[in-house]
Amino acid sequence: MGIEMNTAIIIAAGVGHRTGQHVPKQFINVFDKPIIIYILEKFQNSKKIDAIEVVCLKGWEDILAAYALQYGIAKLKWITAGGSSSQESIYFGLKNLENECSENDIVIIHDGIRPMVEHEIIDSCIEVCNKYGNGITALPVYEQIFRIDGEISSKEYIPRDCLKILQTPQAYKYGELMNAYEMAFHNNIGIQSSAYANTMMVELGKTLYFSRGSTKNIKITTKDDIEIFKAMLRQKND
């Protein structure tokens, strides 16, 4: 029996039109460094991560490989072309690791547009996965939540203490997640309606276990998010 490994799968196959840029948002330069490299450096420097795979937007694989070489991302072992959706991209990433990962290896799925992930978040995700079989980064809900009644009104609020906001990274045992995706894709279960691994696993009847989250672990979606990221970097450097 071999030593179990922790492999990060970075999902960076999106186009990202909402940033208003001419390049995919994961490749936008912030202070002369692509956003994807900020993420890869976090996983490169994590003592818990053994190897990295990036599921990359088609046509950008060589650019990513060049950036990884330039910035010393030595743990990057595989670059896989992504699919037409996040679910398909995750599936392609898992399929590419069929001969690389064992059943009990942990795969840590992370958005290619969450550059402020900290080592404590990665570590917590893996620790919870080791204990319960999966570990999903989660936050409490701090704002009031109301269920809409039409476009502009509501008659019902949802108590915050029964809600969580889920983020990435999300850690799973490779065998269980690969089997779940194979079943889902072959039987068209939980794929069309699900946006990510966590939603699909719940639709397949799996129980999820929460790990530590952070309000700093922002997801870059719009131009405003890029400005927030810049401000966070400036504050960190100061």
Side-chain angles (χ1 to χ4, degrees):
M1 185 175 178
I3 299 173
E4 293 174 5
M5 291 180 58
N6 299 327
T7 299
I9 304 177
I10 312 301
I11 306 302
V15 176
H17 293 299
R18 281 176 286 181
T19 56
Q21 303 287 331
H22 296 296
V23 299
K25 53 191 170 183
Q26 60 271 32
F27 289 100
I28 293 171
N29 276 332
V30 174
F31 299 139
D32 295 323
K33 185 189 294 186
I35 289 172
I36 186 69
I37 293 298
Y38 285 97
I39 297 166
L40 292 177
E41 286 178 336
K42 296 291 180 65
F43 286 91
Q44 171 69 30
N45 295 328
S46 170
K47 295 179 181 179
K48 298 277 188 179
I49 298 297
D50 300 300
I52 301 170
E53 176 189 36
V54 176
V55 183
C56 186
L57 182 64
K58 288 181 182 178
W60 288 79
E61 298 94 334
D62 290 344
I63 294 171
L64 175 62
Y67 279 142
L69 186 63
Q70 177 184 352
Y71 288 94
I73 312 299
K75 290 181 183 178
L76 179 59
K77 305 298 183 186
W78 311 278
I79 299 174
T80 308
S84 59
S85 66
S86 294
Q87 289 291 49
E88 196 172 52
S89 292
I90 295 170
Y91 181 52
F92 288 172
L94 293 170
K95 287 289 286 184
N96 187 59
L97 297 177
E98 273 188 307
N99 297 321
E100 307 291 344
C101 291
S102 67
E103 290 279 308
N104 288 318
D105 284 350
I106 291 176
V107 290
I108 302 95
I109 298 171
H110 187 64
D111 293 323
I113 46 173
R114 284 190 190 269
M116 292 300 289
V117 61
E118 296 294 341
H119 295 154
E120 295 84 358
I121 303 301
I122 298 170
D123 292 353
S124 175
C125 186
I126 293 170
E127 288 164 8
V128 172
C129 185
N130 273 320
K131 186 173 182 179
Y132 297 108
N134 62 63
I136 314 300
T137 305
L139 280 174
V141 174
Y142 298 110
E143 304 286 357
Q144 292 185 339
I145 304 294
F146 280 72
R147 191 185 306 277
I148 62 170
D149 179 20
E151 289 293 321
I152 59 170
S153 62
S154 175
K155 297 178 181 177
E156 178 188 2
Y157 79 94
I158 302 172
R160 290 178 294 189
D161 55 3
C162 70
L163 299 172
K164 287 283 188 182
I165 297 171
L166 300 193
Q167 303 176 323
T168 65
Q170 301 173 1
Y172 298 90
K173 294 297 181 74
Y174 175 79
E176 182 178 20
L177 189 62
M178 182 74 253
N179 290 338
Y181 266 93
E182 292 280 15
M183 180 174 68
F185 268 87
H186 291 160
N187 297 291
N188 199 26
I189 300 171
I191 292 297
Q192 300 302 324
S193 58
S194 298
Y196 225 75
N198 57 338
T199 50
M200 186 197 73
M201 293 296 270
V202 167
E203 290 190 26
L204 292 175
K206 306 294 183 180
T207 298
L208 301 184
Y209 295 88
F210 301 132
S211 60
R212 178 179 173 180
S214 172
T215 54
K216 295 178 181 178
N217 186 22
I218 63 169
K219 183 177 183 179
I220 294 178
T221 305
T222 67
K223 286 192 290 186
D224 288 344
D225 297 325
I226 295 174
E227 295 306 313
I228 292 169
F229 177 43
K230 288 179 180 178
M232 293 172 78
L233 288 176
R234 288 192 196 99
Q235 183 182 42
K236 188 174 182 180
N237 290 334
D238 291 342

